[in-house]
Amino acid sequence: MIETIEKKSQPYINGGWIIENREVALIKNPYSGEVIGEQLLANEEDVEKALASAYEAKKHVAALSSYQRSKILKKAALLLEQEKEKFARLISLELGKPLKNTLDEVARSIETLELSGEEAKRLIGETLPGDVSERGAQAIASTFRVPVGVVAAITPFNAPLNLVCHKIGPAFAAGNSVILKPSSQTTLIATELLKLLLRAGFPKNAVNMVLGRRQVAQQIVKDDRVNIISFTGGTVASKNICELAGMKKVLLELGGNAATIVHNDADLNRAAAMCAKTGFSNSGQSCISVQRIYVHQSVVSEFTNLLKDEVLTLKIGDPLLPDTDVGCVVDVHAAARVTSWIDEAVQSGAQVICGGKRRGATVEPTVLLNPSKESKVICEEVFGPIISIVPYATIEEAIEETNDSAFGLQAGIFTNKMDLAYKVAHSLEMGGVVINGTSNFRLDHWPYGGVKNSGIGREGPRYAVEEMTETKMIVLRLLQRIKIKSICRTFISIYRHFN
């Protein structure tokens, strides 16, 4: 443990930290079980104050120029770069995610803040001539991107820094105020990030943060002062949010049981190495972690042996050690669930190629061969270190099996035939398809999101800004005597008003 780590996470409401007289919940390192801190839980009155503060702040944030918002976000990225080792170690300590993965998450978070700062300067509209209509010969319209007002950001534990940045960054870039409800399992890192944002120049009430259990999120979701709910998490919670939200926009980045197809002409060594790396990073706790691998039956034996060899080279151990590949899952309850799913798959006919054992919150990287189609490891989201290999005879069968899912987030395919690759890519019911890569590949400026039960809307700063703004149209009805200079002056004054 390092001395500089903040040991207490607190709600931040109306420009101040709540420091006492609240219910306390202990924070434990999931790998060691050691108590590493505590969090103060917000009560109903705290949430009400946070909502009122966010609502009042929306006009102040919107009044900041695009340049000011951009400068603040880029300053935050610079500060995070200076403190990246501290943040990486804190994520590893709080989540059990290996240090090599958390260093990557911090690097991505820096990039996400920088990209958000750039998007703050791209809130552009267009000019629309009216004379395309017989009735509009003397009219011109201009469109502007304007902030929605208050964004509620509800984030999960598995990427506790970058996913918060993916919500706060675009929301602030667009000129909105934010009320943040981070996962109760990773509040230390959320607290540290908020302190950094304030040092970077965020207005003190531009972001409010409340900590707590489900009822805290529900109170936020139901409130009419919130304009958009941006949620990353599971389908059960998302359905509850949709039922409570009422007449407000809901953005959902949900789960998946991501598939990767390995065809008979693929580079099997490359495919096995990438599946091992991207199936077990963060112990499989990613919405796009490789879960199902459909392998052509002519190469399934060779691929299985190659994958096993790759998996057995992964080092399991203390997440704070720099050479650890696989740490633990978020807690012992999650670990117990994962191993119960392994047992169910074996009982239904699956063969354990490697792994399958548990110690505390640590589950060995597990490869299963040919589990039944109805087993949980195939038809539900594992969110743990399990990969299942399923043989197929034809590419049409692989496409059908991949699509036979309630989810549709991302998929991958390995093949050297580009015509086949594009056929598969266009046939898969997914938000994204990676050719000659696994499902678990994402760059933070790309549009990220899925179809079916994998969500609504897209993340990535550019796309999130579009979701978190409204199109406002201003129409100018022209008089015949108005001169061109007068028209120009009118639109310049309108532009200055919105910028």
Side-chain angles (χ1 to χ4, degrees), residues 124-133 135-144 471-478 487 490-491 494-495 498:
I124 57 176
E126 57 184 347
T127 301
L128 305 171
D131 62 1
V132 299
S133 168
R135 296 178 296 108
Q138 297 299 318
I140 297 175
S142 288
T143 62
F144 301 84
T471 298
K472 185 168 188 174
M473 179 181 69
I474 297 178
V475 177
L476 179 62
R477 298 293 301 272
L478 303 178
I487 296 173
T490 301
F491 276 111
I494 293 172
Y495 177 81
F498 283 99

Side-chain angles (χ1 to χ4, degrees), residues 262-264 294-298 390-399 401:
V262 180
H263 201 48
N264 57 7
Y294 293 100
V295 184
H296 192 273
Q297 60 188 17
S298 65
V390 180
Y392 70 87
T394 66
I395 197 64
E396 288 75 19
E397 179 187 344
I399 293 170
E401 291 298 315

Side-chain angles (χ1 to χ4, degrees), residues 258-260 280 290-295 303-304 307 341-342 345 350-351 353 366-372 375-379 382 385-391:
T260 292
F280 299 114
V290 176
Q291 180 174 327
R292 300 176 290 158
I293 309 179
Y294 293 100
V295 184
F303 176 82
T304 299
L307 180 61
W341 285 21
I342 295 171
Q351 177 185 351
I353 301 301
T366 303
V367 177
L368 302 176
L369 178 61
N370 210 17
S372 73
S375 59
K376 289 186 176 70
V377 296
I378 293 294
C379 62
V382 170
I386 304 175
I387 285 177
S388 296
I389 299 173
V390 180

Side-chain angles (χ1 to χ4, degrees), residues 61 64 68-70 72-73 120 167-178 201-203 206-207 468:
V61 179
L64 294 173
Q68 288 172 304
R69 296 196 302 271
S70 175
I72 290 169
L73 286 164
K167 297 187 186 303
I168 291 180
F172 185 72
N176 300 296
S177 66
V178 179
F202 265 64
V207 181
M468 294 175 179

